[in-house]
Amino acid sequence: DTAVSQTPKYLVTQMGNDKSIKCEQNLGHDTMYWYKQDSKKFLKIMFSYNNKELIINETVPNRFSPKSPDKAHLNLHINSLELGDSAVYFCASSQRRMGEKLFFGSGTQLSVL
Amino acid sequence: DQQVKQNSPSLSVQEGRISILNCDYTNSMFDYFLWYKKYPAEGPTFLISISSIKDKNEDGRFTVFLNKSAKHLSLHIVPSQPGDSAVYFCAASESRRNDKIIFGKGTRLHILP
């Protein structure tokens, strides 16, 4: 039983397209995140949601829109994809308490051509 | 602006010897530190953590040391095993903002037979 699952695992698309990545966690956590790992390998936080409420938005272009229909799901929709959006996107979850670790999904490799 | 720095992109260690991975941070407000391990095509998984009230935390073969005055932490793995070959990410957060964990760039550890 996968704790944090995200789909698709690979996404290849053309510039200008709109795409979505889905994430679900079955850990009962109240906080979910999107992280981006770019070509320089940094893992950078993009968004954090707590009980469906946006907590962190790290100056991500507004082409990126997270949607949390319930606390077990956090989807990422990207409009007008650009070459620079190519990266690995990781979903994660945790309990929002000091010392609680993140549980990550296996990542979505996005390639924009 | 790298608040968490891992200056060694890679490290090779003989099986059975000690692996030492280093991490430096710049933000003096960080008071909680974590190490994550990542295999190819998988998400990072939590390994070990340390609070700033301690200077050492041990879990089996893994020990993390924290030097607050130097803003430096290290992960020791002893003895190193082939399954330890992975990318190791150092991460840090402020307890007041534990939903924002900042990651380093990672160090790729190769355990040589």
Side-chain angles (χ1 to χ4, degrees), chain B residues 13-108:
Chain B
V13 174
Q14 208 75 35
E15 183 179 353
R17 307 294 285 265
I18 183 170
S19 296
I20 300 176
L21 296 100
N22 293 304
C23 178
D24 298 293
Y25 62 95
T26 57
N27 186 345
S28 57
M29 298 298 291
F30 286 149
D31 56 6
Y32 193 70
F33 305 89
L34 310 94
W35 286 93
Y36 281 78
K37 176 179 178 179
K38 184 184 179 305
Y39 292 119
E42 294 183 13
T45 55
F46 172 77
L47 192 57
I48 193 169
S49 63
I50 188 166
S51 162
S52 61
I53 61 173
K54 294 186 174 182
D55 54 20
K56 176 182 173 182
N57 189 26
E58 194 171 348
D59 183 2
R61 296 186 298 115
F62 303 92
T63 303
V64 56
F65 294 92
L66 175 63
N67 182 334
K68 289 186 288 293
S69 60
K71 294 195 181 71
H72 177 84
L73 61 154
S74 60
L75 174 68
H76 293 213
I77 307 173
V78 56
S80 300
Q81 296 176 355
D84 296 331
S85 294
V87 176
Y88 289 79
F89 289 97
C90 175
S93 71
E94 302 173 34
S95 54
R96 295 178 307 114
R97 293 294 317 277
N98 71 304
D99 51 11
K100 186 175 176 181
I101 297 177
I102 307 297
F103 284 81
K105 213 168 162 178
T107 295
R108 183 176 297 278

Side-chain angles (χ1 to χ4, degrees), chain A residues 36-89:
Chain A
K36 177 181 178 181
Q37 187 179 28
D38 59 23
S39 57
K40 295 183 179 177
K41 304 301 180 188
F42 281 106
L43 257 175
K44 291 183 181 174
I45 190 167
M46 300 174 67
F47 299 103
S48 156
Y49 268 74
N50 179 257
N51 278 322
K52 304 193 297 175
E53 180 187 350
L54 180 65
I55 303 297
I56 294 174
N57 180 342
E58 283 293 296
T59 59
V60 176
N62 57 16
R63 296 182 297 104
F64 291 77
S65 51
K67 294 276 193 307
S68 182
D70 55 62
K71 74 172 194 176
H73 295 84
L74 180 62
N75 304 322
L76 183 65
H77 189 76
I78 316 170
N79 289 330
S80 304
L81 277 155
E82 300 178 358
L83 293 176
D85 297 332
S86 295
V88 182
Y89 292 84

Side-chain angles (χ1 to χ4, degrees), chain A residues 24-37:
Chain A
E24 175 182 4
Q25 55 96 2
N26 62 7
L27 297 166
H29 287 161
D30 54 14
T31 306
M32 294 185 74
Y33 310 78
W34 279 108
Y35 275 81
K36 177 181 178 181
Q37 187 179 28

